[in-house]
Structure formats: C-alpha cells, structure tokens
Amino acid sequence: MKAKLLLLLFTVCLFGHDLSAQDKRYNQSKFKQLYQELATPNVYRTASGAPGHMYWQQQADYVMNIRLEDETQRVYGEETITYTNNSPDALSYLWVQLDQNMRAKDSDTYKTRTNNIDDRMSLRELQGLEPTFDGGFKLEYVRNGDNKDLEYTIVKTMMRVDLPSPLVPGAKSVLKIKWWYNINNRMTMGGRSGYEYFEEDENYLYTLAQFFPRMAVYSDNEGWQNKQFLGGGEFTLPFGNYDVKITVPSDHKIAATGVLQNQKDVLTKVEQDRFAQARKERETPVIIITEEEAIENEKEKATTSSTWHFKAENVRDFAFASSRKFIWDAMGVEQEDGSVVMAMSMYPKEGNPLWERYSTKAVAHTLKWYSHYTFSYPYPVAWSIHADAIGMEYPMICFNFGRPEKDGTYSERIKYGMIGVIIHEVGHNYFPMIVNSDERQWTWMDEGLNSFLQYLTEQQWERDYPSRRGPAANIVPYMAGDKEGISPIMTNSESILQFGNNAYGKPATALNILRETIMGRELFDYAFKEYARRWQFKHPSPDDFFRTMEDASAVDLDWFWRGWFFTTDNVDIAL
C-alpha cells in the first residue's frame, strides 16, 4: 500500500505546477481539461468516445489470383477490388496503396535515410548508399469492371485512380489490376516481408505481405489516408472479404489469412486426418507435418504446381507464407461462445526444438488472455510463422523470430524473446487488425496498447517473466533522458524520436500505471474492454480512446493524457 501511495505522489508531482512565472490571465494549469486538443464531437464520433449514430466506414472486397515463382523470386498477381462507398460523400477518385514501391530505386525511403560517411570508406560501402535492387510494383493495367482502362497517377507509394464519374454514396466501383514484382531478400535488405534463402539445402522461405495493391482508408476524421509509406508508420486499411487463390510449387505448404477451401487438393490424406485430430486437441499441439517429413521434402524441387484457395471474411489485409521446408503443428482453442480457433505454427527445422515446444502453445495462451481483456477472438485461425530476425503481424497470421543455435541449443534470452514476440504479434490481431486504428498516423494506438496487453499476458505465462516493457521502473532512463531526443507520444509515426521507447514502452507504462495506481484494476479493465468492444471492426482515433476511458470509469484523466501523451514531462522531485 505504501508503495502505491508513493507512486501516486510521484505521478501527481509529475504534473505539479507553478504559475508564478506564467501569464496568469490564461489557464496554464497542467490539470486543465482537454478541449482544444481533441476533435469536436459530431454524429460520427461522440463526446463519450463511442461511434456516433451516423458512423460509417468504407468496404473493400478482393478476389485475387497470385502466382509465386520460386525460380526467379517473383510474385505475379491479378485482383478485382469491389469498393463500396458507405460515406456521405461523392468520390471523384480512389487512392490505392502501392507499398512495394518503397523499394523502387527512386523511393523516398532511400532519400530519407541517414548515415555517416567516414574518412575511410571502400567503394563498395559508397555504392551501398545507392539502391541497386529493382523493387516496386510493375503494373500491367488498371481497369474498371467493364475491362476499360482507367486513368491513374502513381505518386511514389500511392496511386490515384480517376473515375469516369463520381462514386456516389451507396454505390460500388470495381477495379481490376494486374501486376508483378521482384521479392526482396529480407535477410540482406530488411523489410516486413520477403524471402530467406537457405544455402545448405538451396531452398527459400517466403513470408509475403503488402504483395498486392491495397485500397487506402477514407474516413470521416482523416479523409483519404494517403500519407506516403516510408517504412516507419505502418498501415491502415478498410475491412472487406477476401477470396484468394495462390499457385506455388506443388511441394510447398502455405499458411495464410483465412480458411483453406480445398484441403483435399493440397493436403495428403494423412495430413487431413492429423488436422482433424488437432482440431479436437486442447493441451498439446498435434504434429501435422513432422520434422522428418519436412527434411525429406527439402531434398527435391517439384516441377509441378498446386493452387491453394483461401477465404477470409471481415479482415483488413491478407498475408501468406510459403515453403517446402515447413514443419506444421496445431491445436484447438475454445472460445466463450463455443467456437474453436485453430492455433497453428509453421517453421523450418532451423527453428527446432524451440518452436515445436513453445510456438503454438504461446499462440493459444495469447488468444486466451487477450480475449479476457477485450473480446472473444472472432477469426477461425491464428498462425505463427518462423522467420529469422523479424516480428510482423497481419490478420490471422504473423511472422516471428527466435532461432536456436545450429546444434539445437538456445539461451533463456532467445526462448523468452521468441515467446514474447509471438504474444506481441498474435496480439496485434486485436490491435490494430480488429480495433483498426490508423498506424500510419499514430503508432502508439496499436503498438502501445498491444505492448501493454503483451506485458499482462507474459505475466500470466510465468510469474516474474522478464518483460521488457510495462513496469514503471523500465521507462525511467528514457523519461529522464535528454529532451532533445524525446518527442511526445502524440507524434506522427514518421516524426517519432526513439521509436521503441516512444510508441511501445511509454504508452505501455502509462496504461500499467493507470491500471495499478490511478484507476485500479476493476475500473481500468472495464473501461479498456468497453473501448475494445465499441471499436471492434471500426476505425478509432486517439480521442475516442481518451474519451471512452473516462466515460466508462467516471475518472477525470485529462491531466494524465496531457502529461503522458501530449508532453515529454517527467517526474522531477527530490525527497
């Protein structure tokens, strides 16, 4: 109790004020209400933080045919987008995201990177400052539903498609786009998707996302979200339904967003039987493709192909992984409503024994506890895919690091790092894949909230789990640091200083202090769950979060949001 009172004293002192040196004609108190900082409530977003009675959002449905060419590391695709204008506005053009263009040679991503030129640099190092990879989408056509060419303008990572006549409220527009692009080597170029090459067995492991032109969000509070993709701020996308066919070498296995529609065409009878058994399992994952079978599968390269067919409903994106190296295990996770979610993992032998021991169990654990704090997981599957040196999330699927040494041994750091990243990335299904905040604008709304729930979930995994973010003590060096290198949490994603501390650590710590000290667990958990449920499958803003937390708890938190989120204030007190 004393510790809580002392922490509360510190928090209050953080926002203490002295008006003696200020202009007292105006309210300079750090306890004044947030009004001018927040958007004016309206029929779309209420003063309580809930969606208004006239709230609307757009819908984008996709039918795609994708071909992965293993010999050249290329993706070829054709898509038909049906875009529904649910807004009250007539739209004379549509904006489409071309995120792969961040790897085009003229990309602003290269131009905005910083580096140092030393006194002694090799020619190769100097050449490395200039991009050589032929990245970016190669568009073959953009057409309407009648197969007539549409006028379009590419602006770096965005494409404006001009419509022959305005798309009126309630109407639909059909876009047909054909493209291809070169897949990047993620291990040398980095990035959120790409391939890893395994020289020992001459095989590739593909983790592919942002692989198709995607509709940008048009919303009541932002208009078109067409900020360029530079690599920091991630993605915001409208919800829709996906019908996707992916053609790969016939010895590849695929994990993807959605539910596989043609099991009998792409899985053996043994694999189908094991999958059915896994659906009934609740404690120990069932191995669907064993390590021995995966090793055997690596040896020869198929010259034939097979097509995997997936469907996903009410998702904001689609991603997949493909390789002939995959081991596969799975188990069922029961939800409160009686539905069963398939928690599953795919990983190469290089991930074992760590992945077989922990990955799918970590997925199931995440679904249990995130649902406890928010809402029941609404999708039928949740994948964890092993990909070295990455952690990245998409609806129903995520790519996670955690690779043992070649002899199979691993440190405690690697084990806990892997479990932590799986919890974090699977947790992103809730924020922002379902509670669909604008990542391009506000990184903290998905990363910060998710890091907070990751901390709670890690502590449920194991007492005294070595969590990086969440405990107040962990953020002290950052908040006490040089203010020249710190920006407020309420900073656009591309302008953040100290990205991890700002967008992950500080908001996670703030929410933990709210829960443990200021509001108490009961009030906080009720209000947080109310926010999640209000904005499930919708597009919330920071204002909606701030207002809901106060509305559902009757606790005035304006002073807290101002100090923690709108400024870089820190505790400055001596006893």
Side-chain angles (χ1 to χ4, degrees), residues 56-58 84-91 167-170 218-220:
W56 56 266
Q57 63 189 33
Q58 309 291 62
T84 304
N85 182 15
N86 294 318
S87 81
D89 311 319
L91 305 176
L167 183 64
V168 299
Y218 182 77
S219 66
D220 63 280

Side-chain angles (χ1 to χ4, degrees), residues 91-110:
L91 305 176
S92 56
Y93 48 78
L94 305 177
W95 281 101
V96 178
Q97 301 187 51
L98 301 178
D99 299 293
Q100 285 297 326
N101 284 4
M102 71 165 289
R103 296 189 180 89
K105 291 183 178 179
D106 63 346
S107 169
D108 286 345
T109 303
Y110 297 114

Side-chain angles (χ1 to χ4, degrees), residues 431-563:
F431 304 93
M433 300 302 154
I434 297 168
V435 182
N436 192 6
S437 57
D438 182 352
E439 298 177 90
R440 190 65 54 86
Q441 181 72 28
W442 306 114
T443 300
W444 72 267
M445 285 196 74
D446 68 295
E447 298 296 359
L449 271 60
N450 187 38
S451 295
F452 164 68
L453 286 180
Q454 176 190 349
Y455 167 68
L456 297 183
T457 303
E458 287 173 344
Q459 297 307 308
Q460 293 289 353
W461 175 275
E462 181 180 304
R463 182 178 295 221
D464 296 326
Y465 187 103
S467 298
R468 290 179 59 204
R469 295 176 172 126
N474 293 5
I475 203 68
V476 169
Y478 168 68
M479 292 187 67
D482 183 357
K483 291 296 188 290
E484 292 295 318
I486 300 176
S487 55
I489 292 175
M490 288 294 291
T491 299
N492 173 263
S493 293
E494 302 298 348
S495 302
I496 292 172
L497 303 174
Q498 299 194 54
F499 203 86
N501 284 322
N502 175 287
Y504 294 68
K506 188 179 177 184
T509 305
L511 296 180
N512 195 33
I513 290 175
L514 269 186
R515 184 174 188 262
E516 296 294 338
T517 305
I518 295 170
M519 298 174 71
R521 293 183 180 183
E522 184 177 355
L523 272 183
F524 179 93
D525 288 353
Y526 181 89
F528 191 84
K529 183 172 286 191
E530 180 67 13
Y531 166 73
R533 290 179 172 177
R534 280 180 176 183
W535 291 97
Q536 186 177 8
F537 296 112
K538 294 181 175 67
H539 301 284
S541 71
D543 302 1
D544 301 319
F545 176 69
F546 298 146
R547 284 168 164 157
T548 295
M549 292 299 292
E550 297 190 28
D551 180 71
S553 67
V555 178
D556 182 358
L557 297 172
D558 281 19
W559 62 277
F560 188 84
W561 307 132
R562 183 186 303 280

Side-chain angles (χ1 to χ4, degrees), residues 378-418:
Y379 295 136
V381 301
W383 282 103
S384 171
I385 309 300
H386 175 55
D388 194 27
I390 189 176
M392 191 59 203
E393 74 281 354
Y394 301 93
M396 305 188 219
I397 187 170
C398 54
F399 312 143
N400 304 308
F401 62 76
R403 183 162 296 176
E405 300 294 333
K406 289 188 176 182
D407 63 0
T409 60
Y410 53 86
S411 65
E412 290 287 283
R413 184 181 66 83
I414 291 294
K415 183 188 83 170
Y416 285 119
M418 175 199 133

Side-chain angles (χ1 to χ4, degrees), residues 108-117 121 128-129 230 494 496-497:
D108 286 345
T109 303
Y110 297 114
K111 298 173 184 176
T112 57
R113 286 178 180 169
T114 59
N115 206 336
N116 295 320
I117 298 179
M121 295 184 71
L129 299 176
L230 300 176
E494 302 298 348
I496 292 172
L497 303 174

Side-chain angles (χ1 to χ4, degrees), residues 2 66 92 99 103 110 114-115 127 137 171 203 214 239 265 272 296 312 318 368 503 511 513 543 554:
K2 290 182 179 178
I66 306 298
S92 56
D99 299 293
R103 296 189 180 89
Y110 297 114
T114 59
N115 206 336
Q127 288 173 336
F137 284 113
N203 278 305
R214 307 180 296 171
F239 287 105
D265 297 333
Q272 293 175 57
E296 190 64 27
F318 189 99
K368 174 183 177 180
L511 296 180
I513 290 175
D543 302 1

